[in-house]
Amino acid sequence: MTAYELDDDGVIVIIGSGAGGGTLANELAQRGVKVVLLEAGRHLTAEDFVNDEWGGYEMLSWLDKRTSSGTWRVAKDHPLTPSWSCQVVGGTTTHWSACCYRFIADELRARTVYGDIPGTTLIDWPITLDELNPYYDLAEAKMGVTRTNGLPGLPPNNNFKVMYAGARALGLNVSTGRHAINTIPYDGRPATIQDGFTITGDKTGSRWSTLNVEIPKGLATGKLELRSQARAVLIEHDAAGKASAVVYVDGAGLTHRQKARAVVLAGNCVESSRLLLHSKSARFPDGLANGHGHVGRHYLRHLIQTVWSTFDKPVHMHRGEIMGGMIDDFVRHDPSRGFAGGYYIEMNSMGLPTTAAFMDPGWWGRDFASVIEQYSKMAGIFMSGEDMPQADNRITLTDELDAFGVPVANIHYDDHPNDLKLRSHGYKVLTSIHKAAGAKRSVEAPAYPASHNLGSNRMSARPEDGVLDGHGQAWEVPNLFIADGSNFATGGACNPTLTIVALAIRQADFMAGQMAAGEL
Amino acid sequence: MSAATTAHKDPKLPPPLDLPEGPEWVAALKLFDAHTAETLVAAARTLYPHDGLPERVYRRTVAHFDAMASKAPGAAQAFAEFVDLVDGALPLIFRELSEGYRVQVLKGLEASTAFRLVQRSCVRFLYDDVEVWQAFGYEGASVHLGGYVNRGFNDLDWLPDPPPGV
C-alpha cells in the first residue's frame, strides 16, 4: 500500500471520498499524480452493509449535529438533521439511487434565460454544455449508465407499471430512465438482482460508487493513499496565501498535519463551506476563499417531494430498483407555467419504515394509520426541480463547537415564491399521474432532509460573483479546489451526481495540465 | 394476484425483542416502571391506532423507548415528562381515558418537545417491527434471498405491461 509522509508537500490532498473526491482521486492517480484522500468515515465493505433502511441510515449517514433555520419545512421536520449525506468511504455514493441525467443548455445559462427574478442571485455558469458534454460522455462510460454506450435500461418493475400507465394516459414521455446500475454485467460488476436496497450501501455492487469503482482503481495505480477515519478540521496556508496543509484528526483522536501541493474540498456542501469558513487567518479573516463573502451562500437543495398514492390492488413498490422511472416533459424553462426552471419526475419507492417516517413527519392518528396500512397497495412518484439561489440561504457557523473543536453549522433556507409555484405545479402533476392510473388517495409528502446539497461555494465567470472559477479553482487561493456539488453555479433540475462526476474528471484534466505546466 | 408475502429482517441484524406476553412484560424493561410503560403503550396505540395489530408490537416499541431512556438521561427525562403531561391534562389519568379524550390530550401537547420525542420514536420503532412489516405487506431484506429479480419485482398484473425497452 502506498503511504506518503506527512511532510510530503508534493501530494494533492482531497477531503472527502464521495462522487467528487473519490472520482477526482482516481482520475488524478491515473494521470500519475500523488494523492492523499482523507475520509472522515470508516472503510466499510459490501459485507458490512445491511438490507435495512434504519440500519443503513445509522451505519452510513453523517449524523453530527447541525442546526437549521428559515421558512423551509425541513427546519420544522428535521431541525438537527437538515441535510442528508454520508460519512463513510465512498461518501454519499454508498447511498445514492443512481439517477444519471444531464443539465440542459438553458440551465447552465440560468440568469440569461430566466431573467432578473427579484430576490434571487442567479448567475450563468462559467462553462457551457458543449464544454461539459465530453465529460458527461466519460462519466457515463465509467459509471455504466443505462441507455448509454449500448447498455440496456432497467426493466419495468411494479411501481413503474403504475407510473407508466398514468403517464401514458396523460400523453407524457415516460421511460425507466438512465441509471448507474448494471442491467447486464459491466466493468467487472454484476447485473442488479433488484434487491431494492441501493440506498443502504448496495451489497452486490451492481450500482456504481466511488467505494466499489473509483477508489479501488485509484489504489491499484500505487499513486493514491486512502486514509479513512481522518476528519479534516482546518486548512492552513503559507505566507504567499496558498493552501499548504490540512489538519485532521484520526480514528484514535490524534491530530496530524498533512502538507499539500494543492488541497481539494469534496466533503459535500455543508462540510466544505464549514471548513472554509472555519479556516480563518489574519490574511483571510472571513475564512478561506471568502474575500467576496460568497462562501456558504446561495445554498440550494432542489425542490424535492414525493406523492404516495394508494390503489385497490397490490403494488409491492419495494421490490426492485427504487427510482427506475423518469418523465422529462417538465425539464425546460417555460414562462407560461408561471415559474422559472423545470423539474424531472422520477419513480420513488421506499420501504415501510421510511415511508411512514417521511410521508408527513408530524402526522398521526386514525387517518395516517388508514393510509400506512395500505403500504402494499401504495405507489410512489417523485420530483427533483430547480430551486432559486438566494444570498441569505446559507451555511454559517454557530457558537457551539463539535467534538473536534469546529463550530457546528447552521443551514438557513427561506423558500422563494418561485420555489412554491414550481412545487405546487409538480404536486398537481404527480397526483394527476397516479389518479390516471387509478389511485384512490394521494398524499403530498414534503421534502426529506436535503440530499442534493449544492451551490454554497459556487463557480462564477467573475470573481465578485462566487468562490470558484469554471474549473472549481478558488479565485482567491489558486491551489485550492472544490470537487463537490457546492461548486454548482446554479442547481438545474436533475440529480447532481453525474454532473459532479463529469466536473471532477474535467478538473483532473485541468489540474494535471497545470501541474505539467508548472503552474500548480 | 400476488401470493401472500413474508417479511424478512436482514439476518445480520439482532432478532426482534422477545417480551413476555401479559402484564409481566414490563419486568423486562431496564428503566420504566409499569405505569410509565403502560401509559406509553396507550399513547403509541392512540398515535398509531392499527386495530389489527396485537398489543405486543406496541410493547416492543415502548421497550425501544426504554432502551433509549436507559442510554440517554435527556430522553429518560422527556419520557417521564410526557407521562406527567398526559396524566395531568384531564381529571382521569391518560390510560383510563377513552380514545377520543386521549386524542384531545395529545393534540394539546403537539408543540411540546416531549410529545415530539414520543411521536417520532413511535414512527421510528413501530414501523420497523417485522411483525408490522408482515401485517402491512412489506417484505424487507432481500439480498440474502437473491433479491426480488425472481421473486415478483414485476408481477403486478392489474395494469397492462409496458412495451419492451421502455
Side-chain angles (χ1 to χ4, degrees):
Chain A
M1 297 294 276
T2 305
Y4 296 109
E5 299 293 327
L6 288 168
D7 63 359
D8 184 344
D9 60 6
V11 299
I12 308 285
V13 179
I14 301 176
I15 301 167
S17 65
T23 300
L24 181 67
N26 179 31
E27 291 285 334
L28 287 172
Q30 299 294 338
R31 288 164 176 78
V33 176
K34 299 197 294 183
V35 178
V36 171
L37 179 58
L38 303 178
E39 166 55 52
R42 294 180 293 158
H43 195 168
L44 302 179
T45 66
E47 181 58 31
D48 297 310
F49 297 143
V50 287
N51 264 202
D52 188 83
E53 291 189 309
W54 285 123
Y57 177 83
E58 285 160 9
M59 181 185 291
L60 302 175
S61 297
W62 190 291
L63 295 171
D64 299 32
K65 181 179 177 181
R66 288 158 177 164
T67 62
S68 55
S69 55
T71 64
W72 60 333
R73 170 122 183 222
V74 167
K76 171 173 163 270
D77 288 343
H78 311 287
L80 301 182
T81 52
S83 155
W84 190 352
S85 62
C86 295
Q87 187 180 102
V88 64
V89 171
T92 312
T93 69
T94 62
H95 162 81
W96 76 310
S97 51
C99 299
C100 285
Y101 308 115
R102 297 185 180 196
F103 269 66
I104 61 172
D106 278 358
E107 289 173 330
L108 296 170
R109 302 188 303 129
R111 173 62 181 83
T112 299
V113 174
Y114 304 168
D116 180 15
I117 300 175
T120 72
T121 49
L122 285 164
I123 55 173
D124 290 347
W125 284 59
I127 52 179
T128 66
L129 188 59
D130 285 342
E131 289 171 274
L132 200 49
N133 271 334
Y135 295 97
Y136 272 137
D137 291 341
L138 292 168
E140 287 168 348
K142 77 155 59 202
M143 298 164 84
V145 176
T146 57
R147 296 199 160 91
T148 74
N149 302 290
L151 296 168
L154 284 170
N157 66 11
N158 293 331
N159 200 7
F160 179 77
K161 290 185 189 182
V162 175
M163 177 177 177
Y164 179 82
R168 288 309 302 153
L170 301 177
L172 298 172
N173 178 43
V174 56
S175 76
T176 58
R178 297 189 293 280
H179 301 84
I181 297 172
N182 287 351
T183 49
I184 56 175
Y186 179 79
D187 195 26
R189 294 180 291 115
T192 173
I193 59 169
Q194 304 285 349
D195 63 296
F197 282 92
T198 177
I199 70 162
T200 66
D202 179 22
K203 286 182 78 72
T204 69
S206 63
R207 181 212 354 79
W208 175 91
S209 70
T210 55
L211 174 67
N212 67 12
V213 179
E214 304 301 318
I215 292 168
K217 288 184 181 184
L219 292 172
T221 65
K223 289 291 181 180
L224 169 63
E225 181 188 351
L226 169 68
R227 294 182 200 158
S228 56
Q229 293 183 275
R231 172 72 167 251
V233 294
L234 194 72
I235 300 162
E236 294 182 337
H237 65 81
D238 62 18
K242 292 174 74 174
S244 56
V246 175
V247 179
Y248 69 93
V249 180
D250 70 16
L254 300 173
T255 299
H256 306 277
R257 174 178 285 96
Q258 175 64 54
K259 289 189 177 176
R261 177 173 181 167
V263 173
V264 184
L265 278 83
N268 208 303
C269 230
V270 179
E271 292 308 310
S272 290
S273 289
R274 181 163 84 128
L275 261 183
L276 289 177
L277 292 170
H278 179 57
S279 298
K280 293 175 185 168
S281 65
R283 182 174 182 139
F284 300 106
D286 298 317
L288 269 182
N290 198 23
H292 288 282
H294 290 287
V295 170
R297 291 190 185 271
H298 321 289
Y299 168 73
L300 301 164
R301 45 86 181 231
H302 275 162
L303 302 174
I304 281 175
Q305 57 201 26
T306 302
V307 165
W308 302 108
S309 300
T310 54
F311 293 80
D312 284 324
K313 294 181 179 172
V315 177
H316 295 132
M317 68 168 167
H318 58 275
R319 294 180 185 164
E321 294 297 347
I322 64 175
M323 297 197 78
M326 185 271 277
I327 294 168
D328 58 7
D329 296 76
F330 304 95
V331 186
R332 60 195 157 86
H333 174 65
D334 176 0
S336 75
R337 298 188 298 205
F339 56 84
Y343 58 94
Y344 276 87
I345 295 176
E346 294 163 10
M347 197 184 81
N348 191 20
S349 314
M350 288 185 181
L352 178 65
T354 56
T355 302
F358 293 126
M359 188 154 59
D360 189 346
W363 192 15
W364 57 275
R366 290 220 166 253
D367 194 35
F368 175 87
S370 72
V371 172
I372 200 70
E373 281 181 3
Q374 305 296 309
Y375 176 80
S376 66
K377 300 175 185 173
M378 198 178 278
I381 191 165
F382 165 103
M383 60 177 266
S384 174
E386 178 163 11
D387 54 340
M388 290 294 113
Q390 302 180 70
D392 290 335
N393 285 354
R394 61 189 294 207
I395 292 145
T396 54
L397 304 182
T398 66
D399 294 334
E400 184 181 349
L401 300 183
D402 71 7
F404 302 93
V406 180
V408 167
N410 183 71
I411 309 179
H412 181 90
Y413 191 102
D414 290 324
D415 294 306
H416 187 273
N418 196 79
D419 300 345
L420 184 137
K421 291 174 188 171
L422 192 153
R423 277 192 188 283
S424 181
H425 192 277
Y427 272 135
K428 287 193 273 188
V429 171
L430 299 179
T431 299
S432 69
I433 291 168
H434 273 171
K435 291 288 180 222
K440 292 193 301 183
R441 177 172 178 179
S442 296
V443 175
E444 297 178 4
Y448 38 77
S451 55
H452 297 181
N453 297 284
L454 307 167
S456 65
N457 305 299
R458 71 184 187 180
M459 47 172 80
S460 58
R462 304 184 308 166
E464 57 268 36
D465 289 335
V467 178
L468 313 167
D469 70 9
H471 291 101
Q473 182 177 27
W475 287 115
E476 208 173 55
V477 185
N479 68 337
L480 178 68
F481 294 79
I482 305 264
D484 59 32
S486 69
N487 65 16
F488 283 25
T490 57
C494 59
N495 311 56
T497 298
L498 179 70
T499 303
I500 293 171
V501 172
L503 288 170
I505 303 170
R506 183 169 176 271
Q507 195 170 48
D509 266 356
F510 175 77
M511 291 176 72
Q514 291 267 296
M515 291 171 77
E519 291 170 19
L520 180 67
Chain B
M1 190 56 60
S2 306
T5 58
T6 304
H8 299 273
K9 270 274 177 186
D10 190 301
K12 286 171 65 80
L13 294 172
L17 298 171
D18 187 19
L19 296 175
E21 292 287 338
E24 61 270 29
W25 76 278
V26 295
L29 302 176
K30 297 187 189 76
L31 195 69
F32 292 162
D33 60 24
H35 178 68
T36 299
E38 296 292 3
T39 302
L40 288 168
V41 167
R45 265 239 183 252
T46 312
L47 289 166
Y48 298 103
H50 299 289
D51 296 336
L53 290 181
E55 198 74 353
R56 61 179 171 270
V57 303
Y58 293 97
R59 289 174 176 164
R60 282 197 291 266
T61 298
V62 171
H64 282 289
F65 296 2
D66 178 66
M68 285 170 68
S70 67
K71 282 180 212 143
Q77 196 179 343
F79 285 120
E81 184 190 332
F82 177 86
V83 172
D84 287 347
L85 286 170
V86 297
D87 276 348
L90 291 174
L92 269 182
I93 61 168
F94 186 79
R95 288 162 60 190
E96 295 183 10
L97 293 170
S98 70
E99 181 176 344
Y101 284 119
R102 287 181 186 175
V103 169
Q104 181 188 322
V105 167
L106 293 175
K107 275 197 194 303
L109 296 175
E110 273 185 314
S112 68
T113 308
F115 173 88
R116 187 188 172 97
L117 176 73
V118 170
Q119 184 247 324
R120 295 298 182 88
S121 304
C122 240
V123 174
R124 164 67 180 82
F125 294 111
L126 180 65
Y127 298 107
D128 202 27
D129 187 294
V130 73
E131 193 170 351
V132 179
W133 294 4
Q134 179 70 42
F136 298 166
Y138 173 57
E139 296 160 291
S142 76
V143 80
H144 68 296
L145 302 168
Y148 290 107
V149 67
N150 297 315
R151 296 193 309 127
F153 88 104
N154 61 354
D155 69 351
L156 186 152
D157 60 4
W158 49 272
L159 286 168
D161 273 334
V166 71

